[in-house]
Amino acid sequence: MRWSVRPAQYLALVLYLLFLGFPLLWLISASVKSSAELNSLSVNLIPSEWHWDNYGEALSRQGLLHSAFNSLLVALASTVLAILISVPAAYVLARLKGKLRIAGVTWILVSQVFPVVLVILPLFLVLRTLGLADSLVGLTLVHTTYILPFALWMLQGYVAAIPVDLEEAGAMDGATRFTVLRTIVFPLLAPGVVATAMFSFVSSWNEFFFALVLLQSPENYTLPITLTMFIGGEGKVALGPLAAGAVLAAIPSIAFFSLLRKKLTGGLMAGAVKG
Amino acid sequence: MKTRRAAIAASLALTSLLAAACGSGADSGSGDGGPVTLTFQSLSDQPAAIAATNKIVGAWNQAHPDTQVKVVQAGWDSAYDKLITQFNAGTAPDIVHYEAAGIGPFAADGYLADLSPYLSEQKRADIPKGVLDSVTVDSKVVAYPTELQSYVVFANKKLLEQSGAQVPTGETMTWDQLRQLAKTATKDGKYGLGWGLSSPTATFVAMAPAFGGKYFEGTGDQAQISVGQGEMALPQLVHDMNATDHSILPVTLTQSGGKALAPFYAGQVAMTVQGSYQAANIEKDAPKDLDWVALPPIAGPAGPAQAANPQTLSVNKDSKHVEQAAKFLDFFTSTENLAALNEADTLIPASNSAREALDKKLGAKKGWSTILASGKYLTSAPYLFAGKYAQWKDTVATPAYQRFLANQIDANTLAQQLKDGWKSVGK
């Protein structure tokens, strides 16, 4: 019976990938279909006629590239800030003992339960007072705050998985606290940082509501805001250009993931503790 | 190495942002003795409509160097969320583009300027009374209406004729005629009508005036609901066409309006009820051999009336330049400008003169004459001023109508749910 297990595993994997990838395939298909085909009853994945004009319209119509650049700036900056703040905080949180740790973790969870609409208006007023209401810097600060709890939550889990024994062994060998962190903890934490950075980047890249409310000037619009411009009044939707825009919007996320994918693998604790 | 590069890229992004921060800052729009700058938040989404808007604004700016208008493009999607934050935070633009159904709460909260003093008698007379009523709150005109849509029946002429049905050509047609047409055209696996009613409330409420239906009495939080014969007539008719005549393609009742066009293009249905603006999409997307026509406006016992929900241009009450903004709106809604804008958006102008001008220009074009004629029958509807309408529509009415059309509840239960739901929303 064993011989049939491996092919079955591969088949299951292929089916799973198809299941996950189908929406993206369908989106790509829709992005190269004509308006007539998109509004017909046909459900073919391969377009009857390749219609590349959608991409031209998406790029020329709403300043998509400029918005993509804004999104990239905000997402990268938010990610860096969130990681810089959450790595030391997560380390402290993970290594804390007793009630203080419980309080810290509870605070992270509680901060996640407030609906966005509850905080948007005070947030807007605060940012306006600071002169940051309609700026990418203001949005970056908001995104960082928005990402931070989950980043902290993720990272403290990774830190907790690093045995304290390793740090103690380093200290026994005469390493200072900083050396222990730099040479033992941070290298082991790297895959966790990468995973958290990915999550942070995608969260900021896709965030819509804060950007919608905070950004007033078209030159500051991020990609999700610009994509909504393809949805008009009276229920009008420019489906082809919208799909093309969405495909283009997905590319940086995919590139970012591809860039950091290898960092995620490679054995988090390989060789750390000898059996 | 890659990690280092990524870190450098991220650091550069941070630096760019900080540099950009130094250059950021909103234009105040008020000079000290210099030209006044008005911000105009436009929701125009079609490329042609954006171009038409920019052309009108450009012409204004050229003719009025002391009052410059700056267009700020925004999207329809989530426009309400954006506006409510802007108004509450005091950062709303001088000129606000929205729709009659959405500006009521802003007017009630005192965010919109009273434009009555700036509306000339000539302009007032040029706007149909029902349309003007739709932008009048507490006797104050709070917006200039610009563009309208009506519900129109588009028909596949060949399919209708093949079924033996006579294609109506009069000034109006009755709902009974439509029902009979749909019955006649339902044969050989084809259906008489396709009607996208996944969100039926807006359609039923907008078309209720033809049956004498009002739905609401009073305004704001004081509005009271009434669900009687006039309000129940259209839902009952659709229900009967579906459940008794079997003349509506059932799947379309679960689809959005636009989605119901696909079976129309495929020849599965002989007719479809759509927003009038779909004429442009039908012209663009329908198979070339589909000979389509727009049927005359549909009349109920109270005539062919439909509720007007025009797109609107309002002035922020807190604007320092209300008078200049009102002058700009007067210019924007001139006959020539409204005609150009509505041609670009394939909608119906909100003034008689612009509608006539457009009819003169495009009347010969397929569908346009009938669609523009339907604009004559648009009237005000009390739902525009009912405070909790949006909440009632989404949480009570739409699910109740869907259950009714799916034959899960009867008409009495539907009426009761609509009334009870109104009392419970917002409590």
Side-chain angles (χ1 to χ4, degrees), chain B residues 179-222:
Chain B
R179 185 175 180 179
Q180 193 51 52
L181 274 177
K183 252 191 205 177
T184 308
T186 302
K187 55 171 66 166
D188 306 328
K190 298 187 190 327
Y191 286 83
L193 189 68
W195 197 345
L197 283 173
S198 63
S199 303
T201 313
T203 310
F204 288 157
V205 169
M207 298 183 100
F211 299 89
K214 286 185 171 180
Y215 277 94
F216 299 103
E217 295 280 351
T219 60
D221 292 339
Q222 306 305 312

Coordinates of all heavy atoms in Angstrom, one line a residue, chain B residues 179-222:
Chain B
R179 N -46.3 42.7 -18.3 CA -46.6 41.3 -17.8 C -47.0 40.4 -19.0 O -46.6 39.3 -19.1 CB -47.6 41.4 -16.7 CG -47.8 40.0 -16.0 CD -48.7 40.1 -14.8 NE -48.9 38.8 -14.3 CZ -49.6 38.5 -13.2 NH1 -50.2 39.5 -12.6 NH2 -49.7 37.3 -12.7
Q180 N -47.9 41.0 -19.8 CA -48.5 40.2 -20.9 C -47.4 39.9 -21.9 O -47.3 38.8 -22.5 CB -49.6 41.0 -21.5 CG -50.5 40.1 -22.5 CD -51.0 38.8 -21.9 OE1 -51.5 38.8 -20.8 NE2 -50.7 37.7 -22.6
L181 N -46.6 40.9 -22.2 CA -45.5 40.7 -23.1 C -44.5 39.6 -22.6 O -44.1 38.7 -23.4 CB -44.6 42.0 -23.2 CG -45.0 43.1 -24.2 CD1 -44.1 44.3 -24.0 CD2 -45.0 42.6 -25.6
A182 N -44.2 39.7 -21.4 CA -43.3 38.7 -20.8 C -43.9 37.3 -20.9 O -43.2 36.3 -21.2 CB -43.0 39.0 -19.3
K183 N -45.2 37.2 -20.6 CA -45.9 35.9 -20.7 C -45.8 35.3 -22.1 O -45.5 34.2 -22.4 CB -47.4 36.1 -20.4 CG -47.8 35.5 -19.0 CD -49.3 35.6 -19.0 CE -49.8 35.6 -17.5 NZ -51.3 35.8 -17.5
T184 N -46.1 36.2 -23.1 CA -46.2 35.8 -24.5 C -44.8 35.3 -25.0 O -44.6 34.4 -25.7 CB -46.6 37.0 -25.4 OG1 -47.9 37.4 -24.9 CG2 -46.8 36.5 -26.8
A185 N -43.8 36.1 -24.5 CA -42.4 35.8 -24.9 C -41.8 34.6 -24.2 O -40.7 34.1 -24.6 CB -41.5 37.0 -24.7
T186 N -42.4 34.1 -23.2 CA -41.9 32.9 -22.5 C -42.3 31.6 -23.2 O -43.4 31.2 -23.1 CB -42.4 32.9 -21.0 OG1 -42.0 34.1 -20.4 CG2 -41.8 31.7 -20.2
K187 N -41.4 31.1 -24.0 CA -41.7 29.8 -24.7 C -40.4 29.3 -25.3 O -39.3 30.0 -25.3 CB -42.7 30.0 -25.8 CG -42.3 31.1 -26.8 CD -43.3 31.2 -28.0 CE -44.7 31.5 -27.6 NZ -45.5 31.9 -28.8
D188 N -40.4 28.0 -25.6 CA -39.2 27.4 -26.2 C -38.0 27.5 -25.4 O -36.9 27.8 -25.9 CB -38.9 27.9 -27.6 CG -40.2 27.8 -28.5 OD1 -40.9 26.9 -28.3 OD2 -40.3 28.7 -29.4
G189 N -38.1 27.4 -24.1 CA -37.0 27.5 -23.1 C -36.5 28.9 -22.9 O -35.5 29.1 -22.2
K190 N -37.1 29.9 -23.5 CA -36.7 31.3 -23.3 C -37.7 32.0 -22.4 O -38.9 31.6 -22.3 CB -36.6 32.0 -24.6 CG -35.6 31.4 -25.6 CD -35.4 32.3 -26.8 CE -34.6 31.6 -27.9 NZ -33.5 30.8 -27.5
Y191 N -37.2 33.0 -21.7 CA -38.1 33.7 -20.7 C -38.4 35.1 -21.2 O -37.6 35.6 -22.0 CB -37.4 33.8 -19.4 CG -37.3 32.5 -18.6 CD1 -36.4 31.5 -18.9 CD2 -38.3 32.2 -17.6 CE1 -36.3 30.3 -18.2 CE2 -38.3 31.0 -16.9 CZ -37.3 30.1 -17.2 OH -37.3 28.9 -16.5
G192 N -39.5 35.6 -20.8 CA -39.9 36.9 -21.2 C -39.0 38.0 -20.6 O -38.7 39.0 -21.3
L193 N -38.6 37.8 -19.3 CA -38.0 38.9 -18.6 C -36.8 38.5 -17.8 O -36.9 37.4 -17.2 CB -39.0 39.6 -17.7 CG -38.6 41.0 -17.1 CD1 -38.4 42.1 -18.1 CD2 -39.6 41.4 -16.0
G194 N -35.7 39.3 -17.8 CA -34.6 39.1 -16.8 C -34.5 40.3 -16.0 O -34.5 41.4 -16.6
W195 N -34.5 40.2 -14.7 CA -34.5 41.4 -13.9 C -33.6 41.1 -12.7 O -33.9 40.3 -11.8 CB -35.9 41.7 -13.3 CG -36.1 43.0 -12.8 CD1 -35.2 43.9 -12.5 CD2 -37.4 43.7 -12.6 NE1 -35.7 45.1 -12.0 CE2 -37.1 45.0 -12.1 CE3 -38.7 43.4 -12.7 CZ2 -38.0 45.9 -11.8 CZ3 -39.7 44.3 -12.4 CH2 -39.4 45.6 -11.9
G196 N -32.5 41.8 -12.7 CA -31.5 41.7 -11.6 C -32.0 42.3 -10.3 O -32.0 43.6 -10.2
L197 N -32.5 41.5 -9.4 CA -33.1 42.0 -8.2 C -32.4 41.5 -6.9 O -33.0 41.2 -5.9 CB -34.6 41.7 -8.1 CG -35.4 42.6 -9.0 CD1 -36.9 42.1 -9.0 CD2 -35.4 44.1 -8.6
S198 N -31.1 41.4 -7.0 CA -30.4 40.9 -5.8 C -30.5 41.9 -4.7 O -30.4 41.6 -3.5 CB -28.9 40.6 -6.1 OG -28.3 41.7 -6.5
S199 N -30.6 43.2 -5.0 CA -30.8 44.3 -4.1 C -32.1 45.0 -4.5 O -32.1 46.0 -5.1 CB -29.7 45.3 -4.1 OG -28.5 44.6 -3.8
P200 N -33.3 44.3 -4.1 CA -34.5 44.8 -4.7 C -35.1 46.1 -4.1 O -35.9 46.8 -4.7 CB -35.5 43.7 -4.4 CG -34.9 43.0 -3.2 CD -33.4 43.2 -3.3
T201 N -34.6 46.5 -2.9 CA -35.3 47.6 -2.2 C -35.2 48.9 -3.0 O -36.2 49.6 -3.2 CB -34.6 47.8 -0.8 OG1 -34.6 46.5 -0.2 CG2 -35.5 48.7 0.0
A202 N -34.0 49.2 -3.5 CA -33.8 50.5 -4.2 C -34.7 50.5 -5.4 O -35.4 51.6 -5.7 CB -32.4 50.6 -4.7
T203 N -34.9 49.4 -6.1 CA -35.7 49.3 -7.3 C -37.2 49.5 -7.0 O -37.9 50.3 -7.6 CB -35.5 48.0 -8.1 OG1 -34.1 47.8 -8.2 CG2 -36.2 48.0 -9.4
F204 N -37.6 48.7 -5.9 CA -39.1 48.8 -5.6 C -39.4 50.2 -5.0 O -40.5 50.7 -5.3 CB -39.4 47.7 -4.5 CG -39.4 46.3 -5.1 CD1 -39.2 45.2 -4.2 CD2 -39.6 46.1 -6.4 CE1 -39.2 43.9 -4.8 CE2 -39.6 44.8 -6.9 CZ -39.4 43.7 -6.1
V205 N -38.6 50.7 -4.3 CA -38.9 52.1 -3.7 C -38.9 53.1 -4.8 O -39.7 54.0 -4.8 CB -37.9 52.4 -2.6 CG1 -38.0 53.8 -2.1 CG2 -38.1 51.5 -1.3
A206 N -37.9 53.0 -5.7 CA -37.8 54.0 -6.8 C -39.0 53.9 -7.7 O -39.4 54.9 -8.3 CB -36.5 53.8 -7.5
M207 N -39.6 52.7 -7.9 CA -40.6 52.6 -8.9 C -42.0 52.6 -8.3 O -43.0 52.6 -9.0 CB -40.4 51.3 -9.7 CG -39.1 51.3 -10.5 SD -38.9 49.8 -11.5 CE -39.4 50.4 -13.1
A208 N -42.1 52.7 -6.9 CA -43.4 52.7 -6.2 C -44.3 53.9 -6.6 O -45.5 53.7 -6.7 CB -43.1 52.7 -4.7
P209 N -43.7 55.1 -6.9 CA -44.6 56.2 -7.2 C -45.6 55.9 -8.4 O -46.7 56.5 -8.4 CB -43.6 57.3 -7.6 CG -42.4 57.0 -6.8 CD -42.3 55.5 -6.8
A210 N -45.2 55.0 -9.3 CA -46.1 54.7 -10.4 C -47.4 54.0 -9.9 O -48.5 54.0 -10.5 CB -45.4 53.8 -11.4
F211 N -47.3 53.4 -8.7 CA -48.5 52.8 -8.1 C -49.1 53.6 -6.9 O -49.9 53.1 -6.2 CB -48.1 51.4 -7.5 CG -47.6 50.5 -8.6 CD1 -46.2 50.5 -8.9 CD2 -48.4 49.6 -9.3 CE1 -45.7 49.6 -9.9 CE2 -47.9 48.8 -10.3 CZ -46.6 48.8 -10.6
G212 N -48.6 54.8 -6.8 CA -49.0 55.6 -5.7 C -48.3 55.3 -4.4 O -48.7 55.8 -3.3
G213 N -47.3 54.5 -4.5 CA -46.5 54.1 -3.3 C -45.6 55.2 -2.8 O -44.9 55.8 -3.6
K214 N -45.6 55.4 -1.5 CA -44.7 56.5 -0.9 C -43.7 55.9 0.0 O -42.6 56.4 0.2 CB -45.5 57.5 -0.2 CG -46.3 58.5 -1.1 CD -47.0 59.5 -0.2 CE -47.6 60.6 -1.1 NZ -48.2 61.6 -0.3
Y215 N -44.1 54.9 0.7 CA -43.3 54.2 1.8 C -43.1 55.1 3.0 O -43.2 54.5 4.1 CB -41.9 53.8 1.2 CG -41.9 52.5 0.5 CD1 -42.0 52.5 -0.9 CD2 -41.7 51.3 1.2 CE1 -42.0 51.3 -1.6 CE2 -41.7 50.1 0.5 CZ -41.9 50.1 -0.9 OH -41.9 48.9 -1.6
F216 N -42.8 56.4 2.9 CA -42.5 57.1 4.1 C -43.3 58.4 4.1 O -43.6 59.0 3.1 CB -41.0 57.4 4.2 CG -40.2 56.2 4.3 CD1 -39.5 55.7 3.2 CD2 -40.1 55.4 5.4 CE1 -38.7 54.5 3.2 CE2 -39.3 54.3 5.5 CZ -38.7 53.8 4.4
E217 N -43.6 58.9 5.4 CA -44.2 60.2 5.6 C -43.3 60.9 6.6 O -42.8 60.2 7.5 CB -45.6 60.0 6.3 CG -46.6 59.4 5.4 CD -47.2 60.3 4.4 OE1 -46.9 61.5 4.5 OE2 -48.0 59.9 3.5
G218 N -43.0 62.1 6.4 CA -42.2 62.9 7.4 C -40.7 62.8 7.0 O -40.4 62.1 6.0
T219 N -39.9 63.4 7.8 CA -38.5 63.5 7.4 C -37.6 63.1 8.6 O -38.1 63.1 9.8 CB -38.0 64.9 7.0 OG1 -38.3 65.8 8.0 CG2 -38.8 65.3 5.7
G220 N -36.3 62.8 8.4 CA -35.4 62.5 9.4 C -35.8 61.4 10.3 O -36.3 60.4 9.9
D221 N -35.6 61.6 11.6 CA -35.9 60.5 12.6 C -37.4 60.5 12.8 O -37.9 59.5 13.5 CB -35.2 60.8 13.9 CG -33.7 60.6 13.7 OD1 -33.3 59.9 12.8 OD2 -32.9 61.1 14.6
Q222 N -38.1 61.5 12.4 CA -39.6 61.5 12.6 C -40.3 60.7 11.5 O -41.5 60.5 11.5 CB -40.1 62.9 12.6 CG -39.4 63.9 13.6 CD -39.4 63.3 15.0 OE1 -40.5 62.9 15.5 NE2 -38.3 63.3 15.6

